[in-house]
Amino acid sequence: MKIAIGADHGGYTLKDVIVPYLESLGHEIEDLGCDCSQSVDYPDYALPVAERVASGQADRGILICGTGIGMSIAANKVAGIRCALVHDLFSAQATREHNDTNVLAMGERVIGPGVAQEIVRIWLETPFSGGERHVGRLDKVNQIEAQYSRS
């Protein structure tokens, strides 16, 4: 799987743990930064990851900031993105099974590296259930997105 990953200054340390972990699982990684502790703007890193996933240049995306909140808000502004902020194992599984999420957001200041790695593994390995009720709900989400998209 090709995975685009990005972080701001609040998440780059965890990103530097997750990238080699993803590579050890056999995934192709596109690291879109940042690699510093100096303050940067999270939308500048969320957007390229979201764009790559939305365009099909990457299969999935992972975003990390201090809390994951800003990254998830920014990524979800891109049409076709279903980004979930996840800090527990149950949500990692449920967001794939029920919501077919294609971008994962996490907060470095919220969880440790061991939990983050397990979240990533579960999120990558869990397929979308394809259940009728979930497909119907995603269709409604897509209708909302289409209604409010600016062309």
Side-chain angles (χ1 to χ4, degrees):
M1 193 178 302
K2 183 168 185 181
I3 301 167
I5 189 167
D8 72 359
H9 61 282
Y12 85 97
T13 303
L14 182 56
K15 177 181 65 71
D16 287 348
V17 170
I18 297 299
V19 167
Y21 177 68
L22 290 167
E23 291 171 337
S24 77
L25 296 175
H27 299 290
E28 178 185 349
I29 308 307
E30 183 177 11
D31 185 343
L32 298 167
C34 87
D35 295 312
C36 66
S37 61
Q38 288 77 35
S39 182
V40 297
D41 297 332
Y42 61 82
D44 296 339
Y45 298 91
L47 181 60
V49 169
E51 287 177 330
R52 287 200 179 45
V53 174
S55 70
Q57 294 173 29
D59 300 303
R60 302 260 185 94
I62 296 175
L63 296 168
I64 307 167
C65 64
T67 63
I69 296 168
M71 287 288 204
S72 64
I73 290 170
N76 279 316
K77 298 299 181 186
V78 176
I81 295 303
R82 290 176 309 283
C83 179
L85 173 57
V86 175
H87 291 131
D88 65 87
L89 306 181
F90 174 78
S91 297
Q93 181 177 340
T95 194
R96 284 290 308 135
E97 285 180 349
H98 298 181
N99 309 113
D100 196 21
T101 55
N102 51 14
V103 177
L104 171 68
M106 298 183 291
E108 178 178 317
R109 296 175 186 152
V110 180
I111 56 173
V115 172
Q117 289 175 326
E118 191 64 9
I119 287 169
V120 166
R121 184 190 62 75
I122 289 169
W123 185 74
L124 290 172
E125 292 177 357
T126 302
F128 176 52
S129 72
E132 186 176 329
R133 72 177 192 225
H134 301 302
V135 170
R137 292 169 184 157
L138 288 178
D139 286 344
K140 288 182 178 187
V141 169
N142 291 335
Q143 289 171 15
I144 293 167
E145 183 176 86
Q147 180 179 349
Y148 289 94
S149 292
R150 296 180 192 140
S151 299

PDB file of all heavy atoms in Angstrom, residues 7-29:
ATOM      1  N   ALA A   7       3.208  15.614   9.095  1.00  0.00           N
ATOM      2  CA  ALA A   7       3.112  16.051  10.486  1.00  0.00           C
ATOM      3  C   ALA A   7       3.551  17.502  10.577  1.00  0.00           C
ATOM      4  O   ALA A   7       4.309  17.983   9.738  1.00  0.00           O
ATOM      5  CB  ALA A   7       4.000  15.188  11.376  1.00  0.00           C
ATOM      6  N   ASP A   8       3.067  18.171  11.616  1.00  0.00           N
ATOM      7  CA  ASP A   8       3.593  19.491  11.927  1.00  0.00           C
ATOM      8  C   ASP A   8       4.630  19.347  13.038  1.00  0.00           C
ATOM      9  O   ASP A   8       5.015  18.230  13.399  1.00  0.00           O
ATOM     10  CB  ASP A   8       2.459  20.467  12.269  1.00  0.00           C
ATOM     11  CG  ASP A   8       1.799  20.207  13.613  1.00  0.00           C
ATOM     12  OD1 ASP A   8       2.176  19.247  14.318  1.00  0.00           O
ATOM     13  OD2 ASP A   8       0.877  20.965  13.960  1.00  0.00           O
ATOM     14  N   HIS A   9       5.050  20.469  13.595  1.00  0.00           N
ATOM     15  CA  HIS A   9       6.081  20.452  14.643  1.00  0.00           C
ATOM     16  C   HIS A   9       5.632  19.690  15.890  1.00  0.00           C
ATOM     17  O   HIS A   9       6.465  19.165  16.616  1.00  0.00           O
ATOM     18  CB  HIS A   9       6.453  21.888  15.027  1.00  0.00           C
ATOM     19  CG  HIS A   9       5.292  22.668  15.566  1.00  0.00           C
ATOM     20  ND1 HIS A   9       4.321  23.209  14.729  1.00  0.00           N
ATOM     21  CD2 HIS A   9       4.921  22.983  16.827  1.00  0.00           C
ATOM     22  CE1 HIS A   9       3.410  23.828  15.465  1.00  0.00           C
ATOM     23  NE2 HIS A   9       3.753  23.706  16.751  1.00  0.00           N
ATOM     24  N   GLY A  10       4.341  19.601  16.118  1.00  0.00           N
ATOM     25  CA  GLY A  10       3.829  18.873  17.278  1.00  0.00           C
ATOM     26  C   GLY A  10       3.712  17.382  17.065  1.00  0.00           C
ATOM     27  O   GLY A  10       3.398  16.639  17.994  1.00  0.00           O
ATOM     28  N   GLY A  11       3.949  16.920  15.843  1.00  0.00           N
ATOM     29  CA  GLY A  11       3.788  15.505  15.542  1.00  0.00           C
ATOM     30  C   GLY A  11       4.950  14.852  14.825  1.00  0.00           C
ATOM     31  O   GLY A  11       4.918  13.650  14.555  1.00  0.00           O
ATOM     32  N   TYR A  12       5.985  15.631  14.523  1.00  0.00           N
ATOM     33  CA  TYR A  12       7.067  15.065  13.711  1.00  0.00           C
ATOM     34  C   TYR A  12       7.840  13.954  14.430  1.00  0.00           C
ATOM     35  O   TYR A  12       8.337  13.022  13.787  1.00  0.00           O
ATOM     36  CB  TYR A  12       8.015  16.155  13.192  1.00  0.00           C
ATOM     37  CG  TYR A  12       9.102  16.549  14.163  1.00  0.00           C
ATOM     38  CD1 TYR A  12      10.371  15.996  14.059  1.00  0.00           C
ATOM     39  CD2 TYR A  12       8.859  17.458  15.178  1.00  0.00           C
ATOM     40  CE1 TYR A  12      11.370  16.340  14.947  1.00  0.00           C
ATOM     41  CE2 TYR A  12       9.854  17.812  16.070  1.00  0.00           C
ATOM     42  CZ  TYR A  12      11.102  17.250  15.953  1.00  0.00           C
ATOM     43  OH  TYR A  12      12.087  17.595  16.838  1.00  0.00           O
ATOM     44  N   THR A  13       7.954  14.002  15.736  1.00  0.00           N
ATOM     45  CA  THR A  13       8.686  12.961  16.462  1.00  0.00           C
ATOM     46  C   THR A  13       7.964  11.627  16.353  1.00  0.00           C
ATOM     47  O   THR A  13       8.587  10.588  16.108  1.00  0.00           O
ATOM     48  CB  THR A  13       8.870  13.352  17.945  1.00  0.00           C
ATOM     49  OG1 THR A  13       9.547  14.602  18.009  1.00  0.00           O
ATOM     50  CG2 THR A  13       9.664  12.313  18.696  1.00  0.00           C
ATOM     51  N   LEU A  14       6.635  11.643  16.497  1.00  0.00           N
ATOM     52  CA  LEU A  14       5.861  10.413  16.333  1.00  0.00           C
ATOM     53  C   LEU A  14       5.894   9.947  14.885  1.00  0.00           C
ATOM     54  O   LEU A  14       5.976   8.749  14.620  1.00  0.00           O
ATOM     55  CB  LEU A  14       4.423  10.611  16.816  1.00  0.00           C
ATOM     56  CG  LEU A  14       3.515   9.383  16.756  1.00  0.00           C
ATOM     57  CD1 LEU A  14       4.100   8.206  17.538  1.00  0.00           C
ATOM     58  CD2 LEU A  14       2.120   9.734  17.272  1.00  0.00           C
ATOM     59  N   LYS A  15       5.864  10.880  13.937  1.00  0.00           N
ATOM     60  CA  LYS A  15       5.970  10.513  12.518  1.00  0.00           C
ATOM     61  C   LYS A  15       7.265   9.750  12.270  1.00  0.00           C
ATOM     62  O   LYS A  15       7.275   8.752  11.537  1.00  0.00           O
ATOM     63  CB  LYS A  15       5.905  11.756  11.626  1.00  0.00           C
ATOM     64  CG  LYS A  15       6.074  11.441  10.135  1.00  0.00           C
ATOM     65  CD  LYS A  15       6.034  12.680   9.273  1.00  0.00           C
ATOM     66  CE  LYS A  15       7.158  13.630   9.490  1.00  0.00           C
ATOM     67  NZ  LYS A  15       8.465  13.163   8.986  1.00  0.00           N
ATOM     68  N   ASP A  16       8.336  10.196  12.916  1.00  0.00           N
ATOM     69  CA  ASP A  16       9.631   9.542  12.726  1.00  0.00           C
ATOM     70  C   ASP A  16       9.678   8.141  13.340  1.00  0.00           C
ATOM     71  O   ASP A  16      10.581   7.362  13.036  1.00  0.00           O
ATOM     72  CB  ASP A  16      10.752  10.420  13.288  1.00  0.00           C
ATOM     73  CG  ASP A  16      11.016  11.642  12.418  1.00  0.00           C
ATOM     74  OD1 ASP A  16      10.504  11.700  11.279  1.00  0.00           O
ATOM     75  OD2 ASP A  16      11.731  12.556  12.883  1.00  0.00           O
ATOM     76  N   VAL A  17       8.710   7.805  14.182  1.00  0.00           N
ATOM     77  CA  VAL A  17       8.556   6.443  14.698  1.00  0.00           C
ATOM     78  C   VAL A  17       7.657   5.629  13.756  1.00  0.00           C
ATOM     79  O   VAL A  17       7.921   4.459  13.485  1.00  0.00           O
ATOM     80  CB  VAL A  17       7.952   6.463  16.122  1.00  0.00           C
ATOM     81  CG1 VAL A  17       7.562   5.076  16.588  1.00  0.00           C
ATOM     82  CG2 VAL A  17       8.905   7.121  17.102  1.00  0.00           C
ATOM     83  N   ILE A  18       6.616   6.267  13.248  1.00  0.00           N
ATOM     84  CA  ILE A  18       5.626   5.574  12.420  1.00  0.00           C
ATOM     85  C   ILE A  18       6.175   5.227  11.035  1.00  0.00           C
ATOM     86  O   ILE A  18       5.884   4.148  10.509  1.00  0.00           O
ATOM     87  CB  ILE A  18       4.338   6.422  12.310  1.00  0.00           C
ATOM     88  CG1 ILE A  18       3.685   6.592  13.695  1.00  0.00           C
ATOM     89  CG2 ILE A  18       3.357   5.824  11.312  1.00  0.00           C
ATOM     90  CD1 ILE A  18       3.266   5.292  14.358  1.00  0.00           C
ATOM     91  N   VAL A  19       6.979   6.100  10.442  1.00  0.00           N
ATOM     92  CA  VAL A  19       7.498   5.835   9.089  1.00  0.00           C
ATOM     93  C   VAL A  19       8.276   4.521   9.024  1.00  0.00           C
ATOM     94  O   VAL A  19       7.973   3.659   8.190  1.00  0.00           O
ATOM     95  CB  VAL A  19       8.317   7.031   8.552  1.00  0.00           C
ATOM     96  CG1 VAL A  19       9.110   6.633   7.301  1.00  0.00           C
ATOM     97  CG2 VAL A  19       7.401   8.208   8.247  1.00  0.00           C
ATOM     98  N   PRO A  20       9.286   4.286   9.867  1.00  0.00           N
ATOM     99  CA  PRO A  20       9.991   3.003   9.773  1.00  0.00           C
ATOM    100  C   PRO A  20       9.097   1.818  10.132  1.00  0.00           C
ATOM    101  O   PRO A  20       9.279   0.715   9.597  1.00  0.00           O
ATOM    102  CB  PRO A  20      11.157   3.133  10.757  1.00  0.00           C
ATOM    103  CG  PRO A  20      10.937   4.365  11.536  1.00  0.00           C
ATOM    104  CD  PRO A  20       9.934   5.197  10.820  1.00  0.00           C
ATOM    105  N   TYR A  21       8.129   2.038  11.021  1.00  0.00           N
ATOM    106  CA  TYR A  21       7.184   0.967  11.341  1.00  0.00           C
ATOM    107  C   TYR A  21       6.380   0.587  10.098  1.00  0.00           C
ATOM    108  O   TYR A  21       6.241  -0.604   9.792  1.00  0.00           O
ATOM    109  CB  TYR A  21       6.261   1.411  12.482  1.00  0.00           C
ATOM    110  CG  TYR A  21       5.206   0.389  12.825  1.00  0.00           C
ATOM    111  CD1 TYR A  21       5.555  -0.821  13.409  1.00  0.00           C
ATOM    112  CD2 TYR A  21       3.867   0.630  12.537  1.00  0.00           C
ATOM    113  CE1 TYR A  21       4.590  -1.773  13.712  1.00  0.00           C
ATOM    114  CE2 TYR A  21       2.902  -0.309  12.845  1.00  0.00           C
ATOM    115  CZ  TYR A  21       3.265  -1.513  13.430  1.00  0.00           C
ATOM    116  OH  TYR A  21       2.299  -2.447  13.717  1.00  0.00           O
ATOM    117  N   LEU A  22       5.890   1.569   9.376  1.00  0.00           N
ATOM    118  CA  LEU A  22       5.142   1.297   8.142  1.00  0.00           C
ATOM    119  C   LEU A  22       6.014   0.580   7.119  1.00  0.00           C
ATOM    120  O   LEU A  22       5.570  -0.355   6.453  1.00  0.00           O
ATOM    121  CB  LEU A  22       4.617   2.606   7.548  1.00  0.00           C
ATOM    122  CG  LEU A  22       3.505   3.304   8.319  1.00  0.00           C
ATOM    123  CD1 LEU A  22       3.305   4.722   7.802  1.00  0.00           C
ATOM    124  CD2 LEU A  22       2.216   2.508   8.233  1.00  0.00           C
ATOM    125  N   GLU A  23       7.251   1.013   6.999  1.00  0.00           N
ATOM    126  CA  GLU A  23       8.182   0.362   6.066  1.00  0.00           C
ATOM    127  C   GLU A  23       8.428  -1.083   6.476  1.00  0.00           C
ATOM    128  O   GLU A  23       8.503  -1.965   5.613  1.00  0.00           O
ATOM    129  CB  GLU A  23       9.490   1.151   5.994  1.00  0.00           C
ATOM    130  CG  GLU A  23       9.319   2.488   5.312  1.00  0.00           C
ATOM    131  CD  GLU A  23      10.529   3.396   5.418  1.00  0.00           C
ATOM    132  OE1 GLU A  23      11.359   3.229   6.350  1.00  0.00           O
ATOM    133  OE2 GLU A  23      10.636   4.297   4.567  1.00  0.00           O
ATOM    134  N   SER A  24       8.502  -1.352   7.778  1.00  0.00           N
ATOM    135  CA  SER A  24       8.710  -2.725   8.245  1.00  0.00           C
ATOM    136  C   SER A  24       7.513  -3.619   7.921  1.00  0.00           C
ATOM    137  O   SER A  24       7.662  -4.837   7.816  1.00  0.00           O
ATOM    138  CB  SER A  24       8.998  -2.754   9.751  1.00  0.00           C
ATOM    139  OG  SER A  24       7.810  -2.586  10.512  1.00  0.00           O
ATOM    140  N   LEU A  25       6.348  -3.002   7.747  1.00  0.00           N
ATOM    141  CA  LEU A  25       5.148  -3.755   7.359  1.00  0.00           C
ATOM    142  C   LEU A  25       5.045  -3.928   5.847  1.00  0.00           C
ATOM    143  O   LEU A  25       4.100  -4.542   5.358  1.00  0.00           O
ATOM    144  CB  LEU A  25       3.896  -3.044   7.893  1.00  0.00           C
ATOM    145  CG  LEU A  25       3.757  -2.954   9.417  1.00  0.00           C
ATOM    146  CD1 LEU A  25       2.527  -2.127   9.785  1.00  0.00           C
ATOM    147  CD2 LEU A  25       3.685  -4.337  10.048  1.00  0.00           C
ATOM    148  N   GLY A  26       6.004  -3.355   5.122  1.00  0.00           N
ATOM    149  CA  GLY A  26       6.048  -3.534   3.669  1.00  0.00           C
ATOM    150  C   GLY A  26       5.349  -2.460   2.866  1.00  0.00           C
ATOM    151  O   GLY A  26       5.157  -2.617   1.659  1.00  0.00           O
ATOM    152  N   HIS A  27       4.992  -1.350   3.486  1.00  0.00           N
ATOM    153  CA  HIS A  27       4.296  -0.277   2.779  1.00  0.00           C
ATOM    154  C   HIS A  27       5.282   0.697   2.154  1.00  0.00           C
ATOM    155  O   HIS A  27       6.386   0.902   2.657  1.00  0.00           O
ATOM    156  CB  HIS A  27       3.357   0.469   3.730  1.00  0.00           C
ATOM    157  CG  HIS A  27       2.301  -0.408   4.308  1.00  0.00           C
ATOM    158  ND1 HIS A  27       1.262  -0.916   3.560  1.00  0.00           N
ATOM    159  CD2 HIS A  27       2.130  -0.893   5.563  1.00  0.00           C
ATOM    160  CE1 HIS A  27       0.495  -1.663   4.337  1.00  0.00           C
ATOM    161  NE2 HIS A  27       1.005  -1.675   5.551  1.00  0.00           N
ATOM    162  N   GLU A  28       4.851   1.312   1.048  1.00  0.00           N
ATOM    163  CA  GLU A  28       5.622   2.372   0.401  1.00  0.00           C
ATOM    164  C   GLU A  28       5.189   3.697   1.030  1.00  0.00           C
ATOM    165  O   GLU A  28       4.000   3.990   1.086  1.00  0.00           O
ATOM    166  CB  GLU A  28       5.341   2.379  -1.106  1.00  0.00           C
ATOM    167  CG  GLU A  28       6.050   3.459  -1.869  1.00  0.00           C
ATOM    168  CD  GLU A  28       5.656   3.500  -3.337  1.00  0.00           C
ATOM    169  OE1 GLU A  28       4.995   2.566  -3.816  1.00  0.00           O
ATOM    170  OE2 GLU A  28       6.009   4.498  -3.990  1.00  0.00           O
ATOM    171  N   ILE A  29       6.141   4.490   1.476  1.00  0.00           N
ATOM    172  CA  ILE A  29       5.843   5.703   2.218  1.00  0.00           C
ATOM    173  C   ILE A  29       6.295   6.932   1.442  1.00  0.00           C
ATOM    174  O   ILE A  29       7.409   6.977   0.917  1.00  0.00           O
ATOM    175  CB  ILE A  29       6.553   5.709   3.593  1.00  0.00           C
ATOM    176  CG1 ILE A  29       6.259   4.418   4.357  1.00  0.00           C
ATOM    177  CG2 ILE A  29       6.163   6.948   4.397  1.00  0.00           C
ATOM    178  CD1 ILE A  29       4.806   4.078   4.511  1.00  0.00           C
TER     179      ILE A  29
END
